[in-house]
């Protein structure tokens, strides 16, 4: 199945934005963004193996395999100056794909947006939970990120589909190892919710260690999934930041 979902194709666009989903999320997270995007911007969302439209494919729990597969496929879709947006787990994937493209001498994003995620250079204080029994695992997920969809919790069939995906993705995050020797040279935008209990202002500041470019922080109301409740506010900032950061030709 296809890596990218592009709800509205714009052959005459000036910029491509590739979006990476959070743990258990899929490309549908960003579907509504395309309808609100200006004409100069085409938005595509990455669909990970084993998620949503790729549900029949096996999940990937190995960082090098996942990153290499995404960067190789993504490279064939790049036709314009482009940027990445990644939320939570998606921020880590976006970072590693950008670095992989750079190491391979491919086209690289002209800026990166990392959302709802502390810098990977900072040591996370959260204990690992991906190995815990189902009920304990789901309870701790709800405590960290907020309540899970009711239909998933109530219906066993949905829960049986949902749990392996979520457990796989949380395991990916827990097993992430940041490579400090690879540094970027592009601007970063750090978006976050001011009520996100997972965010630390000190750990956010450490994003400066990722790049030699400038780092800009944007704070929005609400918690970890502020992207849903503050969508218009977020997109207004995103479109402005994208356009203002376009490199000179």
């Amino acid at each position: 199945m296809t890596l990218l979902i592009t709800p509205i194709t714009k052959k005459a666009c000036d910029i491509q934005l590739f979006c990476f989903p959070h743990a258990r999320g899929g490309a549908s997270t960003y579907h509504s963004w395309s309808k609100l995007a200006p004409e100069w911007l085409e938005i595509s969302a990455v669909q990970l193996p084993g998620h949503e439209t790729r549900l029949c494919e096996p999940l990937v729990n190995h960082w090098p395999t996942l990153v290499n597969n995404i960067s190789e496929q993504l490279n064939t879709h790049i036709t314009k100056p482009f940027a990445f947006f990644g939320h939570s787990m998606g921020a880590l994937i976006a970072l590693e794909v950008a670095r992989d493209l750079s190491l391979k001498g491919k086209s690289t994003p002209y800026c990166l947006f990392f959302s709802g995620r502390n810098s990977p250079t900072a040591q996370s204080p959260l204990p690992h939970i991906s190995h815990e029994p189902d009920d304990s695992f789901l309870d701790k997920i709800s405590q960290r990120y907020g309540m899970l969809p009711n239909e998933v919790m109530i219906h066993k069939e949905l829960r049986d589909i949902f749990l392996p995906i979520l457990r796989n993705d949380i395991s990916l995050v827990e097993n992430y190892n940041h490579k400090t020797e690879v540094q970027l040279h592009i601007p970063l935008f750090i978006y976050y919710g001011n009520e996100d209990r997972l965010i630390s202002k000190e750990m956010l500041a450490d994003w400066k260690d990722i790049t030699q470019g400038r780092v800009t922080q944007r704070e929005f109301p609400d918690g970890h999934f502020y992207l849903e409740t503050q969508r218009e506010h977020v997109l207004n900032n995103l479109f402005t930041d994208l356009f203002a950061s376009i490199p000179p030709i």
Side-chain angles (χ1 to χ4, degrees):
M1 296 292 288
T2 183
L3 171 76
L4 293 176
I5 305 295
T6 308
I8 302 176
T9 302
K10 299 177 182 178
K11 294 183 179 179
C13 70
D14 298 310
I15 299 171
Q16 293 175 289
L17 177 66
F18 299 103
C19 300
F20 297 78
H22 58 274
R24 81 170 168 80
S28 64
T29 301
Y30 300 104
H31 279 184
S32 63
W33 289 23
S34 292
K35 297 178 182 179
L36 300 172
E39 284 304 309
W40 48 264
L41 177 64
E42 180 183 83
I43 298 178
S44 299
V46 171
Q47 194 77 287
L48 300 177
H51 296 64
E52 294 187 345
T53 57
R54 301 180 70 183
L55 191 63
C56 61
E57 299 179 41
L59 294 159
V60 178
N61 194 251
H62 182 245
W63 273 102
T65 299
L66 181 64
V67 170
N68 180 70
N69 289 347
I70 293 174
S71 64
E72 290 296 321
Q73 293 182 64
L74 192 62
N75 188 60
T76 65
H77 293 274
I78 296 168
T79 60
K80 303 286 174 64
F82 68 100
F84 287 168
F85 183 101
H87 179 66
S88 199
M89 179 186 76
L92 296 180
I93 300 175
L95 170 62
E96 290 307 313
V97 172
R99 293 162 73 163
D100 192 59
L101 289 170
S102 178
L103 286 170
K104 292 176 178 175
K106 309 290 187 180
S107 297
T108 55
Y110 74 82
C111 67
L112 295 170
F113 292 82
F114 297 132
S115 167
R117 180 75 201 183
N118 293 317
S119 170
T121 63
Q123 183 66 38
S124 172
L126 297 174
H128 289 191
I129 60 173
S130 61
H131 62 284
E132 296 206 6
D134 289 352
D135 288 341
S136 175
F137 174 65
L138 289 173
D139 182 58
K140 290 178 180 178
I141 286 292
S142 295
Q143 291 175 27
R144 287 185 186 181
Y145 301 102
M147 289 302 296
L148 298 169
N150 285 334
E151 59 270 21
V152 170
M153 304 302 291
I154 294 172
H155 300 289
K156 182 180 184 302
E157 295 83 0
L158 289 177
R159 180 166 160 156
D160 288 346
I161 295 172
F162 173 87
L163 255 176
I165 298 171
L166 181 57
R167 195 181 291 278
N168 176 85
D169 291 356
I170 295 300
S171 175
L172 260 180
V173 173
E174 291 176 346
N175 291 316
Y176 175 79
N177 289 311
H178 178 68
K179 299 178 179 64
T180 56
E181 67 274 12
V182 183
Q183 192 173 50
L184 299 172
H185 301 267
I186 56 179
L188 307 184
F189 292 89
I190 312 303
Y191 286 18
Y192 65 97
N194 61 5
E195 297 178 20
D196 190 343
R197 292 172 292 178
L198 303 177
I199 292 297
S200 158
K201 294 291 183 67
E202 293 76 16
M203 293 182 181
L204 283 178
D206 288 341
W207 277 108
K208 68 182 185 304
D209 300 328
I210 298 294
T211 184
Q212 292 184 11
R214 73 179 186 279
V215 179
T216 303
Q217 290 189 18
R218 302 257 186 257
E219 181 181 280
F220 300 90
D222 218 336
H224 190 66
F225 289 105
Y226 73 95
L227 292 181
E228 299 174 4
T229 62
Q230 302 296 317
R231 183 180 61 180
E232 184 175 346
H233 186 20
V234 170
L235 292 182
N236 285 340
N237 280 269
L238 176 62
F239 299 154
T240 299
D241 288 336
L242 273 171
F243 193 79
S245 303
I246 300 174
I249 299 176

